[in-house]
Amino acid sequence: LILIIAMPLSPKQSESESTAEQETAAAVLDSGSTQDSQNVYAAAMEKRLKHVLGQMEGVGETEVMITLSDSGETIVEKDQKEQSDAGGGTRTTTEQETEETTVYVENGSEKQPYVTKEVLPKVEGVLVVAEGGDDPRVISDISDTVMALFRVEAHKIKVVKMSSSRE
């Protein structure tokens, strides 16, 4: 019983992380234009990557820039209505008509499309400027980390040394 009581203490940390992810997703959805949502998403990913890389040994202080190839995609639910009409005397002809209508959800006085799936924007390239950017081992660690997190090819990742004369 003591172990069961003690176990709920560790998920508190993961709840705060999932809350941050939910806030990021909500900010992306709430922003008006596609460009704004891209910028919000990229900024959130840059912040998270910067935090992770800052924890790695030898990396030191970092600056991160992420470019996105698209704005993602929102797939809405659609009702499909199909009609078939067969006819024609000695010759058989079939006419088929398909009609799609978007499903809406009413939230108070607002009508919004019912979203079934959201595809996040695809990361196109990553630039990391790091204090440890001159060490080949650190460059390899950073590149491997970025490839694992964002599924970006190695030639689309650039790691450089941070300038010592920062203002």
Side-chain angles (χ1 to χ4, degrees):
L1 288 174
I2 293 172
L3 289 174
I4 294 173
I5 293 170
M7 290 178 88
L9 295 177
S10 61
K12 297 279 187 196
Q13 185 181 19
S14 64
E15 284 178 14
S16 66
E17 290 173 4
S18 65
T19 303
E21 289 177 13
Q22 290 171 352
E23 288 173 0
T24 302
V28 168
L29 294 175
D30 290 341
S31 62
S33 72
T34 304
Q35 187 64 33
D36 289 343
S37 64
Q38 275 185 300
N39 292 339
V40 169
Y41 178 72
M45 293 297 102
E46 287 169 359
K47 182 179 177 183
R48 292 181 71 191
L49 181 59
K50 181 178 176 179
H51 176 72
V52 168
L53 294 177
Q55 304 300 314
M56 293 172 57
E57 184 179 339
V59 175
E61 188 179 336
T62 60
E63 288 296 325
V64 176
M65 181 177 174
I66 295 176
T67 58
L68 304 173
S69 64
D70 58 17
S71 61
E73 182 180 4
T74 301
I75 301 170
V76 296
E77 183 68 29
K78 296 204 180 255
D79 279 338
Q80 290 186 345
K81 181 179 168 184
E82 291 186 22
Q83 286 184 338
S84 293
D85 185 20
T90 59
R91 191 177 77 178
T92 305
T93 60
T94 304
E95 222 175 273
Q96 188 170 8
E97 185 178 313
T98 303
E99 182 181 322
E100 288 186 339
T101 55
T102 303
V103 177
Y104 288 95
V105 176
E106 291 186 30
N107 188 5
S109 62
E110 295 180 13
K111 282 178 80 174
Q112 297 179 337
Y114 181 74
V115 177
T116 57
K117 183 178 179 181
E118 290 192 35
V119 180
L120 293 173
K122 185 176 183 295
V123 174
E124 183 70 22
V126 179
L127 169 67
V128 178
V129 181
E131 285 182 329
D134 58 344
D135 183 1
R137 183 189 58 80
V138 172
I139 293 172
S140 176
D141 288 347
I142 291 173
S143 294
D144 291 346
T145 301
V146 171
M147 283 190 288
L149 291 174
F150 297 112
R151 296 183 183 160
V152 178
E153 296 89 21
H155 69 277
K156 294 185 177 184
I157 302 168
K158 183 67 178 173
V159 181
V160 295
K161 179 166 176 51
M162 185 177 282
S163 172
S164 59
S165 61
R166 292 197 57 199
E167 294 179 30

